[in-house]
Amino acid sequence: SAIEGVSPDALREQMLEGLPAKTLRKRSKQILENDPDSPLVIGANTRTIPGIITQRGCTYAGCRGVVIGPIHDILHITHGPVGCSYYSWQTRRNLARTSELGKANFLQYCMTTDMQEDHIVFGGEKRLAAAIREAYELFKPKAISVYATCPVGLIGDDIHSVCREASKELGINVFGFSCEGYKGVSQSAGHHIANNGVFKHMIGLDDAPVGEDADAPFKINILGEYNIGGDAWEIDTLLRKCGVRVLATLSGGVTYDEITSCHQADLNVVMCHRSINYMAEMMETKFGIPWFKVNFIGADSTAKSLRKIAQYFGDENLIARTEEVIAQEMEAIREVRLEVKARHQGKKAALFVGGSRAHHYQDLFADIGMETISAGYEFAHRDDYEGRDVLPSIKVDADSRNIEELHVDPDPERFRPRISPEAKAKMIANGFSFSDYQGMMKEMKKRALVIDDISHHELEKLIETWKPDIIGSGIKDKYIVEKMGVPCKQLHSYDYGGPYAAFTGAANFYKEVDRMLSSKVWGYVVPPWVKDRKIGEPAAVV
Ligand code: CFN
Ligand code: HCA
């Protein structure tokens, strides 16, 4: 493979060559040759280096854009200059549909206080209060969520007291997030702030029985699933077939009421650990809901995750039905999987995305026999790379030093251990693991290159040297990669495609990869390192 041609170490040297000493020290820790048996310590979740174009986003993006934005029947008001709101307006493809006529879906709207210079000088609290009032009059929502942007933090507007006053005046739930963009080193701090706020202002508010699902025997929440391209709907449909009901998906295609009552679930399963581990821990402490990680990206991973959920409940019928569903679904996609695999087996992918997909999508490529030769997150932390057992507690996580950790106690009225400590111990003794979260490095091949927050220069070196057949990344890299003649699939927005989760989604993805890899267009692109080739000449003549 590529790795045998130029060694990972030599490629790493090329990537680091010419950097000033201080930058070199820092970047060296973020580019590592993988050893799955004893993962090296990676320089993750540290500040980006000025001058190097980072893949990352800001704390506001992680809070407003990622975790809370997808709640579709509350209003989201950005307190700040218009740009922050504008650039979070439908740029992330977290889909939502309104299930019943007359129910609200406000996701198409973009609301902001549109701060001007005089608000920066004299303060913006009055303007925020007026905006909340105006928005309420227009839409009469169940709740309003307010987000502070950088200048708001710098001038010290107290958005929380404005929200409290508005809540009293309007008689609805109004809450704010101090998620100023600069608060953390990436959007990751925004996830943490968002989790704290959702837990404090929404979780556990409603104890009324959860409608038609109240008597369902197996009730779960899916945490860290954002319904990009409709993924959450695929997962929901699949679980229903097995006999498992999803009370709430945090946060994808989800309503306020689903969130305020989802503490009634029997189990939380976590898709994106990076963005929502905080919530899983807090719900376990307060209500006694156990959690473990799942991955519905890739057919084999989906089957494994379904089996784990069935095993957790331990019900014979559920286990049998789950096996039937897996057999049916696998059969339905068998042909396309084999066909695509036959054409592309052995090809190489490189994935640089966010805080969990660079790991999850490796399983989807593995379904069709493709290997990931290099991967990295934008903003994940050491536990996402090295495994949770390396860093067993989120308390030592770098984010937690900056962001206030909520103090959570068991709720004396509502704490209900879903399984007794004895039953849990027995399950663990029988091989069931609540914490078998390996992290990216333990599951990648030896000698793969793991690169945190890859730069364009490093990406160019990777493409030139190891020639991956496809790259999975985001909008900041896509066209740079494609101008080098390599297809690039956006694994944030799925470009215009998806869903890619569960079995049906996996089949969609196999076909998409097949289409991209089979296109002849890439051979006509002249990459920057080829000097003498004319545009239009096929690559083969070089
Ligand atoms: S939907 Fe998620 S899966 S939440 Fe997170 S870490 Fe982002 S917005 Mo982009 S696609 Fe990405 Fe993950 Fe979790 Fe999305 S890999 S970067 S902050 N992410
Ligand atoms: C964000 C959102 C983002 C950006 C995608 C990209 C998303 O980070 O604020 O860079 O292509 O998924 O929409 O991650």
Side-chain angles (χ1 to χ4, degrees):
S1 81
I3 303 177
E4 269 99 59
V6 176
S7 75
D9 201 42
L11 175 52
R12 182 173 178 272
E13 286 306 308
Q14 280 185 38
M15 288 175 173
L16 295 171
E17 194 188 319
L19 291 176
K22 206 171 146 197
T23 313
L24 177 69
R25 254 198 319 277
K26 199 153 182 207
R27 268 326 276 162
S28 314
K29 296 183 192 145
Q30 289 172 281
I31 307 177
L32 302 176
E33 182 180 331
N34 193 42
D35 180 358
D37 303 323
S38 58
L40 294 170
V41 172
I42 189 158
N45 192 35
T46 54
R47 258 190 286 173
T48 51
I49 301 162
I52 294 184
I53 296 176
T54 169
Q55 290 192 305
R56 293 176 177 171
C58 69
T59 301
Y60 162 79
C63 179
R64 187 260 179 267
V66 173
V67 178
I68 315 184
I71 307 171
H72 64 263
D73 61 348
I74 69 174
L75 293 184
H76 304 278
I77 303 180
T78 295
H79 186 33
V82 71
C84 303
S85 186
Y86 183 78
Y87 286 107
S88 52
W89 188 15
Q90 303 250 289
T91 50
R92 183 162 171 266
R93 289 184 66 235
N94 43 256
L95 308 185
R97 65 180 159 228
T98 315
S99 44
E100 288 167 53
L101 208 64
K103 291 267 168 87
N105 181 355
F106 301 125
L107 280 202
Q108 295 86 341
Y109 294 98
C110 168
M111 290 180 198
T112 174
T113 52
D114 184 20
M115 282 176 106
Q116 305 293 321
E117 283 92 334
D118 50 338
H119 307 118
I120 302 292
V121 176
F122 299 108
E125 292 176 8
K126 287 200 182 94
R127 189 165 176 90
L128 175 60
I132 296 173
R133 223 170 273 132
E134 187 186 338
Y136 178 76
E137 282 312 317
L138 283 171
F139 296 99
K140 300 277 175 356
K142 288 193 166 157
I144 295 178
S145 182
V146 170
Y147 308 90
T149 59
C150 295
V152 172
L154 295 174
I155 64 172
D157 274 359
D158 183 357
I159 62 161
H160 305 287
S161 67
V162 174
C163 289
R164 270 193 304 273
E165 287 303 311
S167 189
K168 264 189 248 155
E169 182 186 320
L170 305 173
I172 60 162
N173 198 354
V174 184
F175 40 86
F177 293 87
S178 293
C179 56
E180 291 85 352
Y182 59 75
K183 272 272 171 78
V185 300
S186 72
Q187 49 271 69
S188 178
H191 302 150
H192 199 161
I193 292 168
N195 278 237
N196 287 355
V198 172
F199 190 77
K200 211 158 121 183
H201 298 294
M202 281 181 254
I203 297 289
L205 286 187
D206 185 2
D207 283 321
V210 282
E212 59 177 56
D213 290 332
D215 298 325
F218 315 114
K219 296 189 284 288
I220 70 169
N221 299 312
I222 301 183
L223 307 188
E225 165 50 54
Y226 300 90
N227 202 29
I228 308 301
D231 278 353
W233 294 327
E234 293 305 317
I235 298 169
D236 192 77
T237 307
L238 180 64
L239 286 165
R240 248 169 216 272
K241 282 186 195 165
C242 299
V244 175
R245 286 303 172 95
V246 178
L247 295 191
T249 300
L250 267 73
S251 320
V254 72
T255 63
Y256 178 74
D257 289 346
E258 284 167 350
I259 293 184
T260 54
S261 56
C262 76
H263 60 292
Q264 300 178 45
D266 306 308
L267 169 72
N268 282 331
V269 298
V270 175
M271 266 291 279
C272 171
H273 176 267
R274 179 65 271 136
S275 61
I276 213 150
N277 64 82
Y278 323 94
M279 179 62 77
E281 301 272 3
M282 290 188 287
M283 286 181 83
E284 178 160 33
T285 306
K286 185 164 178 178
F287 302 106
I289 308 175
W291 68 273
F292 52 79
K293 252 192 72 68
V294 290
N295 178 20
F296 288 108
I297 300 297
D300 292 344
S301 297
T302 299
K304 198 170 147 201
S305 299
L306 289 179
R307 288 193 175 110
K308 188 151 182 178
I309 293 170
Q311 233 186 328
Y312 165 80
F313 286 112
D315 177 271
E316 291 306 317
N317 289 333
L318 176 65
I319 293 171
R321 201 158 49 235
T322 300
E323 287 305 330
E324 272 167 42
V325 171
I326 292 172
Q328 275 167 15
E329 300 276 332
M330 282 288 197
E331 181 53 30
I333 66 166
R334 195 175 64 93
E335 212 168 303
V336 61
R337 181 173 170 176
L338 286 176
E339 209 178 288
V340 175
K341 190 171 179 175
R343 269 197 286 279
H344 304 296
Q345 180 146 33
K347 288 190 180 164
K348 305 169 301 259
L351 310 176
F352 303 101
V353 208
S356 68
R357 294 186 172 187
H359 181 188
H360 285 165
Y361 273 78
Q362 295 192 23
D363 297 355
L364 196 33
F365 281 103
D367 279 357
I368 45 173
M370 289 178 64
E371 187 195 336
T372 306
I373 53 171
S374 182
Y377 301 118
E378 282 170 47
F379 53 75
H381 302 197
R382 280 185 56 198
D383 54 347
D384 304 290
Y385 281 107
E386 299 166 40
R388 240 185 121 80
D389 50 341
V390 175
L391 288 168
S393 162
I394 58 166
K395 304 279 185 295
V396 297
D397 206 321
D399 242 6
S400 310
R401 278 183 236 138
N402 302 329
I403 311 299
E404 167 213 10
E405 198 76 55
L406 274 192
H407 180 79
V408 181
D409 288 319
D411 181 331
E413 313 270 283
R414 295 184 293 177
F415 184 91
R416 175 170 64 83
R418 270 47 177 188
I419 40 173
S420 68
E422 300 79 52
K424 192 170 177 180
K426 202 169 151 201
M427 281 171 83
I428 294 170
N430 286 336
F432 189 94
S433 173
F434 284 88
S435 57
D436 62 345
Y437 181 33
Q438 295 286 303
M440 176 193 279
M441 288 165 137
K442 283 187 202 142
E443 294 187 356
M444 279 187 81
K445 281 236 168 96
K446 206 175 167 79
R447 309 197 77 205
L449 261 193
V450 177
I451 309 174
D452 185 63
D453 190 20
I454 195 171
S455 73
H456 284 172
H457 168 70
E458 291 151 7
L459 195 58
E460 187 170 330
K461 287 287 165 204
L462 177 79
I463 293 172
E464 184 184 344
T465 309
W466 275 6
K467 300 187 172 51
D469 297 285
I470 190 167
I471 287 183
S473 197
I475 194 68
K476 296 191 194 93
D477 320 308
K478 181 180 173 82
Y479 298 102
I480 302 216
V481 170
E482 296 197 332
K483 282 175 184 172
M484 294 179 200
V486 177
C488 182
K489 180 71 194 165
Q490 291 200 68
L491 290 184
H492 299 260
S493 66
Y494 301 163
D495 295 298
Y496 311 95
Y500 296 139
F503 298 101
T504 33
N508 277 342
F509 195 76
Y510 307 152
K511 286 183 233 169
E512 176 73 352
V513 170
D514 186 32
R515 190 186 64 75
M516 292 178 85
L517 290 178
S518 306
S519 170
K520 293 192 174 55
V521 73
W522 311 113
Y524 291 93
V525 180
V526 182
W529 55 86
V530 175
K531 300 278 180 282
D532 306 322
R533 209 170 102 214
K534 291 186 184 65
I535 288 170
E537 258 175 11
V541 302
V542 179

